[in-house]
Amino acid sequence: MKKLLLVFAAAIAASACSSMIDDIAPKNYIKAETLSQEDIGKLCNGMRYKMESVVKSIWYRGDWLSENFTSGPGFDVADVHAETQSAASSIALSDWRTLFTTLNEVNELLRRSSGIDGVKAKEALGNAYFFRAWIYYNLVIRFGGVPILKSPTMDVVPFSKEEDVWAFIITDLQEAINVLPEHYSIYYPGKDAAKLLLARVYLWRGRNSDAASLAEEVIKSRHVLNNTAEDFAKMFIYGTENQEIVLALANIRSTGYNLIYDSVNDVDGSWNYSPAPKYYGSLYQDTPFHSGDIRKEATFSEADATRLIKFPNGGTGMNQFIVNAKASNSPLVMFRLADAYLIRAEALGPESGLKVLKEFMEHRYSSVTLPSSMGEKEYQNLILDENNREFFGEGRRWFDIKRTGRTDLYDTWNGRDFLLYWPIPQKERDIAGKDVYPQNNGYSD
Amino acid sequence: MFIISLTNNDRMKKYLFLSALLLLVSVAVHAQNLSLDLKDVPVREVIETLQRELGFSFVIKTNEIDLDRKVSVSVKDADINTILSQVLSGQKVTFTVDGQTVQVYKAEKPLEKETAVAAPPVVQVPQHVVRGRVTDPAGEPLIGCIVVPGKVSTKAVTTDLDGNYSVSVPKNGTLEFSYIGSHTIVEEVAGRNVINVVLRQKVESLDAVMVVGYGSTSKRLVSSSIASVSLDEIEKGADIDPVKALQGRVTGMSVSSSSGIPGTAPRVIIRGVSSISGNSSPLYVVDGIPAESYPNVNANDIESMEVLKDASATAIYGSRANSGVILITTKSGHKGNTRVQAGIYGGGAMVSHDIIMANTAEYTNVMGVAVDNYNAQQNALETLYVPENPADFDWMAAVSRKIALRSGASVSVSGGDAKTRFYSSVGYENEQGYLNTTGFKKVTGRVKLSHDITKWLEMNINTSIAYGRYDMVEETDGSLKILRAAREEQPWYTPVYEDNSWRVMSSGGLARHNPVMIIAEEDYYVNKYQLQGTVSAVFKPFKGFKYTPSLSGYSIYDKTIKKLTENNLERGYKDGWAALSEQKDNSFRYVFDNIVQYDNKWSELTFSILGGHSFEKYEYETFGAKSDNYTNEAFPSSSFNLITAGTSIYPGSIGYNAYALESWFSRMALNWADRYILNLSFRADGSSRFPEDNRYGFFPAGSLAWIVSNEKFFPVNPVATELKLRASAGQTGSMNGISNWAAMSLVAAGSPYNGSSGMRITQTAQNIRWEKASKFDFGADVEFFSGRMNLGTDVFYSVTEGLLYPRPVVSTTGYTSLTSNIGTMDNFGVEATLGGRIFDGPVKWDLSGNFSWSRNRLLSLLDKTPIIIVENAKLYGGNKHALIVGKPVSAWYMLRMDGIYQYDSDVPEKLYAKGVRAGDVKYYDLDNNGDIDDNDRVYCGKATPDFFGGVTSNLSWKGLELNVFCQYSVGGKVFSAWKGCGMEGTESLGLSSGSVTTDKGKSVVQYYNVSKKAATEYWRGPGTSNSMPRPVITGLHTGWDYDYNILTSTRYLEDASYFRIKNITLAYNFPGRWLEKAHVSGLRIYATVDNAYTFTKHEGYDPEASMSAGPASATYATDFGYEPMMRSFLFGLDIKF
């Protein structure tokens, strides 16, 4: 009997395993408590990895909403403009959520890299300021005033006015310019990328001379404009080192690809977007001002009007203008020298801008004959057209229209009760409360 | 003369004495001249002595016998009957003697010494000898049936091994036949010489042994709400999933089949929705070991299933018992002859309710109307492209089977000797699915061994293996969804060109992916291997005490392989759709239990005390890889079966998961004189899923039962023969539906930038605690007419607090939802079951039915908003469920369709401006602003039914049996996402389209096919329809996400109420006398129709359809149009040796 009780006691003791409960932990994660200052560089990489997917997820907004695109095969939509015109809009919600959840991650990196020394910490800090500014830039051009979060918080933060958001962006970019290194690789943000973004911000705010001078600083840096269709196309292929690029996200990974082409050029026959017929036929046509646009053959397909060949087509980039060795790892180009020229040209206005514009165009056309002077509107038309030729399929157009207020360029918009500020997503308002998250003008509350 | 005389304290003497006497035994044994003088000896020893010394063999068929009870017996010149009646007196057993074989059975009442010892009464009345045979309805002899001659008492007899008896009784007397577990029958002799009797098993005997958590008890002593179902009660058609078989048979338990995809587990909800995260699925415990998921058990191996419903029954399982517990007990071997059982079946299945699509003429017409309506309203000149020489192709027929074959077989062998018992079985099932190439095969095996090492130590081994193969197609995939694509493909195209090459989507003119090609050019299957084993010991060092340590291991290994061929023109060349991919998941779980139990009696008090400790750890790993696709010859040929044939290998899904649970539990059961029964239990669970401060949950419960009929004041009456009242209260918990790591702040790797490694903080720790339910139950069990009729009722109420849910948060937090304890919910319900024998003659008819009604309600949610919209993609019907305070979980929340605008003048101004005209849907305008948007959504009922249940009828005559089983469910609603809503569906009427390239190379818009109903019943003028709108193509209605007519609304919400003749089985049991010569003890043939007919208003395949199992999930009760449950016809044969 004694033996039996011993066995029994031993068995109970052996199975009293409270400590084993505490030992249960995931293998593919580590606990956040275990992070140290040493890890700051890796966290910075993690943030840039996240930014790749963010940039990809909002990539086509400006093309889609501006009618640059029409439905692709296997996809049809009743009313593209309705997509941002109600508080239930899925596009507004998706962008809001993507940008704000990422902001939290950026803020966390900023918190962890503030006040510590070292090259990695400084780089992380600069990156965090830069990307936070980029996130708020994307929020403010969509929604206007939004909550400003300077650090991670679980609290519901009330809205700030639009001008405060712009001011916050400018401060962040000035910090970024201070902290970031001079340009050292097209795949990492340097001072010039931050300057370009700030120049664009100034353009939005109407601070044209500030915009022009910052753009000029970038023009004077070591970047080089492309002259041929092939060189232009090389900006969009895997492993590019094209010197026109100011900042591209590398997008190198072996899983969870960011395929910008699965929306425009999928190979299974059901992609979402195709170039709108009106642009396919006319965007790159010759005008009295210029002819022989090098971007035409690098952008549209001679053979197939439903494809955009600026980016990879399918897995091997088989229909891309030039061979892309690893289509799924194609870079996401955020800024290039063309931005600097076009910002500067726009900021300077027709009087002194024409010269800048001509300098730029000479790299993009086989012949350019610009007049010595132009009216404001005509000049703006030219600038907007040039922007669309340059950035077709890169998500810029709708925001250019909004910035300049030129809705008249669209038959389907003009005269329509169309709101240029996106609605604050109803779902977020439901959670935060309508008073804390007021709706933008024009939408039902 | 044979004399045994022994006492406990002189064993030596006994043996010497017996040895000496052995010489004398010889012929004396059979004579009635045994003498015995025993003092204070255990029953066990007397029996062993009789076995060893006198050659009697004992078959003990009951656990009721107390072999350790000390007895004293003193008889002279007695027969074995007299001796045994003395030895066993006072115990609830009876026995039979047949030659040298003694069988001991359980009895209703203690054996009385007097009747046996008393001298044979002097017979005053002229006696009359009656012979006969007692059998069960299958014709099997009932051995040891007690036959008591009534009125004028002579000696009772028992039937022999063949069920025969012979007894003396007055000619006008009566004979009472009783057998354990069966109904007692009294026959008037009326001068007959031969009386054969068929005894039928009681439907529910209060003495039946019932398995409860960590133990067993008799049904009489159960004080909580437990339903016990023996698989024999379920008239075997074949093809039964054990848990599905409980549908309609257990009150409070709702079982439904989500789809007919082969091998899909059913949804089970016990006593209402218990949780808003997770699937409200009960905990399954197989042979005492909690299963990780839905159990994979061969139905033929199952002895009984117990459904534990109230807190008192379930709280012993603590943290996982909120949704109830289902205990599955498998068969064991018994001492005696080796028994062999075998069965085979085969048959076919077909769609019971099909969805008919429009043919080419109807399709062409309705799409033409859609274009015309557009042109008329827009003043446009659109045309419908119709190919030259259109075909009229039935795409559904091309992807589906007319008759899907079913077959199965099983064999089991069981038996045992004095020390060892065994049970072993092998089972096989094969089921073809509705879609071509789909199917499910299952092979199961089980071995159970039990060995008595010593008197006080027993070892048990229980192992089972299961292999399942699931042949699949891209059916649930949101992109390909073969079945829907087949329905909506243009009927004027065939899947191949004239040269037999595949026509593909877009460039081949098809508006949808070519489903025929996808099925043909893909091999996609899962092999699942499950291995489960338990080793346990039972120590019984002294009377009443039992210590049971057990160690169980449970291992699942799944391998998924998907292979495309070069000819899969749409997928074989797409990046990410590898030519070959392989995924391996394995999980391992072990449970280490230590349980101590002590049972004893004190005066009128019977008590049982149990204490235990359990530790459980679960680990899951998944690992996968894939190759390139076929572009640039990256994967040379589909003849290769290993991914290394590709030029590159990519990771598939790779992951790890684990949890551990440590528990302490105890229970005390007290029974005072079979009148008052008290059960108290307590469990403490510590789970790795919760933060260290909130790790432990405590779950107490108690119940009280009063067996009123055992009170002296309860009048003896022929109507109500048993009455038991029960009350219980207790707490259970849930940790369902939340991540194993929810309580930790986590950093993930795998986020490199530009070739350099990176890490991300992906989760912030949540301070969560257990979700806890307090449950109350009141019940009454009544038995009428000595068990001829039974009534059981329960009323229950439960409140669940701290509901775990991914609470929506503003995204500035970095998240869109965070797991939190967010609310409170309650359930109230009534259950009743009534059953009885209607005819009890040569033709017997048993009829039983049950009814369960329950009401579920969310009591509180988030502070700011009393409603959480459950978000869902448009493809699955959009946002249509919501959690609403005051309403049931599974609430439908959407626009309400109030008909069709019949005249343009009826259309409100704002809608008119947005293109709405007569023929378009009229929605209820809640805010009365003349416009229709999300603010107009209203509560539209719920998915779960108000009440449900089943009706079972058993009709038998001689060996023939007819069993009909019906189910019903009333008050639920199902959302038919297959009809439309979003961009596709069979009632989209022109609103689903795609740009395609025709055979001539021209780019045109093509529209999805619609159902015959939609194509013929659409609105075409005032008064023509108030439910099916006019066909229009996109562009007429502006300002809505997709289109006005296909907004998420009650247009697609259907009544899911039904009455279903679930199963009809006709069986014939061959009579025993025919089989004896062949040494067969039973032979049964049967024909069965499953899913025979359903009365319902629902238009889809099945009103039970659902994409997910959790009542709070976005796609609950959403009928996406997966493969249907089919009507099957099966024929089978069961044989026993």
Side-chain angles (χ1 to χ4, degrees), chain B residues 685-891:
Chain B
D685 271 334
S687 165
S688 61
R689 274 188 198 167
F690 294 93
E692 279 184 42
D693 299 342
N694 295 343
R695 184 148 283 171
Y696 279 87
F698 304 98
F699 306 99
S703 61
L704 188 66
W706 178 27
I707 305 180
V708 185
S709 51
N710 283 358
E711 294 285 359
K712 289 199 182 85
F713 63 75
F714 191 80
V716 177
N717 68 84
V719 182
T721 42
E722 286 256 10
L723 171 63
K724 181 161 86 174
L725 301 176
R726 294 179 273 106
S728 79
Q731 283 192 323
T732 55
S734 172
M735 51 177 197
N736 240 341
I738 59 164
S739 146
N740 283 327
W741 319 124
M744 300 175 184
S745 289
L746 295 177
V747 180
S751 36
Y753 184 75
N754 200 22
S756 172
S757 68
M759 299 195 291
R760 291 175 54 213
I761 298 171
T762 53
Q763 182 175 300
T764 304
Q766 295 307 303
N767 190 25
I768 45 177
R769 60 191 160 81
W770 294 89
E771 178 175 313
K772 259 192 188 181
S774 304
K775 300 179 173 182
F776 308 91
D777 182 278
F778 299 93
D781 299 318
V782 199
E783 188 183 271
F784 300 98
F785 314 116
S786 302
R788 188 157 168 180
M789 200 172 108
N790 284 290
L791 172 69
T793 57
D794 274 278
V795 177
F796 67 86
Y797 179 74
S798 69
V799 187
T800 313
E801 285 166 308
L803 291 169
L804 287 164
Y805 192 73
R807 172 173 63 100
V809 292
V810 286
S811 47
T812 55
T813 58
Y815 303 89
T816 53
S817 70
L818 292 169
T819 303
S820 317
N821 299 90
I822 66 161
T824 312
M825 159 177 94
D826 72 351
N827 277 290
F828 172 63
V830 177
E831 303 165 359
T833 174
L834 178 67
R837 164 77 42 99
I838 296 188
F839 297 151
D840 196 16
V843 173
K844 303 196 189 326
W845 186 23
D846 288 336
L847 189 65
S848 65
N850 65 63
F851 168 88
S852 308
W853 172 87
S854 71
R855 193 263 296 125
N856 168 273
R857 192 174 53 175
L858 270 170
L859 296 177
S860 69
L861 271 179
L862 307 172
D863 321 332
K864 283 208 175 98
T865 137
I867 178 166
I868 297 177
I869 307 285
V870 184
E871 291 186 31
N872 197 208
K874 269 277 176 193
L875 176 63
Y876 307 116
N879 302 343
K880 54 199 178 301
H881 276 302
L883 296 169
I884 310 170
V885 171
K887 297 284 189 264
V889 171
S890 88

Side-chain angles (χ1 to χ4, degrees), chain A residues 216-233:
Chain A
E216 192 179 17
E217 288 182 35
V218 178
I219 291 169
K220 284 179 176 164
S221 68
R222 63 196 190 113
H223 299 286
V224 185
L225 281 173
N226 294 311
N227 293 316
T228 65
E230 285 74 17
D231 284 347
F232 178 79

Side-chain angles (χ1 to χ4, degrees), chain A residues 1 4-5 7-8 11-12 14-22 24-35 39 41-50 52 71-79 82-83 86 88-90 93 96-97 100-105 108 112 147 149 152-157 185 187-188 247-255 257 259 261-262 266-271 306 314-316 318 328 416 426-428 430-433 436-437 444-445, chain B residues 456 479 505-507 511 513 539 541-542 545 547 549 569-571 573-577 590 592 594-596 612-615 617-619 621 629 631-632 650-652 654-656 658-662 664 686-688 692 695-696 741 744-764 766 808-816 818 864-865 869 871 879 933-935 983 993-996 1003 1005 1008 1034-1035 1037-1043:
Chain A
M1 187 57 62
L4 188 71
L5 287 174
V7 169
F8 176 59
I12 293 282
S15 63
C17 326
S18 304
S19 67
M20 289 173 75
I21 295 185
D22 298 336
I24 299 285
K27 287 185 179 176
N28 43 343
Y29 300 98
I30 54 173
K31 295 187 182 175
E33 302 92 271
T34 62
L35 284 179
D39 296 315
K42 295 195 171 67
L43 285 173
C44 185
N45 270 346
M47 182 202 65
R48 290 187 286 232
Y49 172 92
K50 170 73 178 174
E52 290 172 340
S71 302
F75 179 77
D76 202 20
V77 96
D79 184 2
E83 294 208 354
S86 99
S89 146
S90 56
L93 179 70
W96 179 282
R97 285 187 170 170
F100 269 115
T101 53
T102 311
L103 173 71
N104 182 67
E105 217 170 311
E108 181 67 31
R112 283 174 186 266
L149 282 84
T153 175
M154 285 284 156
D155 299 334
V156 176
V157 178
S185 159
Y187 294 119
Y188 297 87
L247 176 65
L249 295 181
N251 203 22
I252 290 173
R253 45 179 78 186
S254 57
T255 183
Y257 302 125
L259 309 172
Y261 59 81
D262 64 3
D266 206 346
V267 288
D268 72 351
S270 65
W271 61 86
T306 64
T316 60
M318 54 190 171
S328 50
R416 186 169 162 167
Q426 190 58 41
K427 276 180 187 138
E428 295 284 325
D430 285 346
I431 302 164
V436 191
Y437 277 22
S444 59
D445 192 33
Chain B
W456 52 270
S479 162
M505 177 166 166
S506 181
S507 61
H513 293 288
F539 292 89
F542 55 89
F545 180 85
Y547 162 50
L569 301 177
E570 289 180 0
R571 296 292 163 175
Y573 291 86
K574 185 178 175 182
D575 199 42
W577 287 74
Y590 71 86
F592 186 30
N594 280 285
I595 299 163
V596 180
H613 172 263
S614 175
F615 180 79
K617 187 177 174 186
Y618 168 86
E619 283 192 289
E621 280 179 353
N629 53 28
T631 41
N632 293 345
Y650 303 92
I654 295 172
Y656 171 83
Y659 71 78
L661 186 70
E662 184 180 29
W664 300 88
S687 165
S688 61
E692 279 184 42
R695 184 148 283 171
Y696 279 87
W741 319 124
M744 300 175 184
S745 289
L746 295 177
V747 180
S751 36
Y753 184 75
N754 200 22
S756 172
S757 68
M759 299 195 291
R760 291 175 54 213
I761 298 171
T762 53
Q763 182 175 300
T764 304
Q766 295 307 303
V809 292
V810 286
S811 47
T812 55
T813 58
Y815 303 89
T816 53
L818 292 169
K864 283 208 175 98
T865 137
I869 307 285
E871 291 186 31
N879 302 343
D933 56 26
D934 278 354
N935 294 326
M983 306 220 354
S993 61
S995 314
V996 303
S1003 182
V1005 174
Y1008 296 5
T1034 51
H1037 305 128
T1038 53
W1040 288 279
D1041 252 14
Y1042 289 99
D1043 193 85

Side-chain angles (χ1 to χ4, degrees), chain B residues 896 898 901 908 923-933 936:
Chain B
R896 192 179 81 203
D898 280 352
Y901 287 115
Y923 299 105
Y924 172 63
D925 184 13
L926 176 69
D927 55 13
N928 207 18
N929 65 354
D931 199 358
I932 294 298
D933 56 26
D936 296 312

Side-chain angles (χ1 to χ4, degrees), chain B residues 552-605:
Chain B
S552 299
Y554 192 75
S555 160
I556 302 179
Y557 170 64
D558 293 354
K559 186 166 95 167
T560 307
I561 289 198
K562 191 193 269 185
K563 181 176 158 180
L564 307 174
T565 76
E566 301 93 318
N567 299 323
N568 193 326
L569 301 177
E570 289 180 0
R571 296 292 163 175
Y573 291 86
K574 185 178 175 182
D575 199 42
W577 287 74
L580 193 60
S581 65
E582 207 168 323
Q583 189 70 38
K584 295 177 178 184
D585 303 347
N586 60 69
S587 47
F588 180 73
R589 198 165 54 99
Y590 71 86
V591 184
F592 186 30
D593 280 349
N594 280 285
I595 299 163
V596 180
Q597 189 173 352
Y598 183 67
D599 298 345
N600 210 337
K601 276 182 190 169
W602 175 77
S603 180
E604 296 258 22
L605 179 73

Side-chain angles (χ1 to χ4, degrees), chain B residues 72 150 199 239 267 334 356 440 445 487 768 773 809 840 851 853 855 890 1013 1061 1094 1126:
Chain B
S72 301
L199 291 188
D239 191 29
R267 316 194 298 279
H334 296 285
I356 312 295
F440 173 53
R487 265 198 223 116
I768 45 177
V809 292
D840 196 16
F851 168 88
W853 172 87
R855 193 263 296 125
S890 88
K1013 182 185 174 205
I1061 304 171
T1094 307
M1126 291 190 280

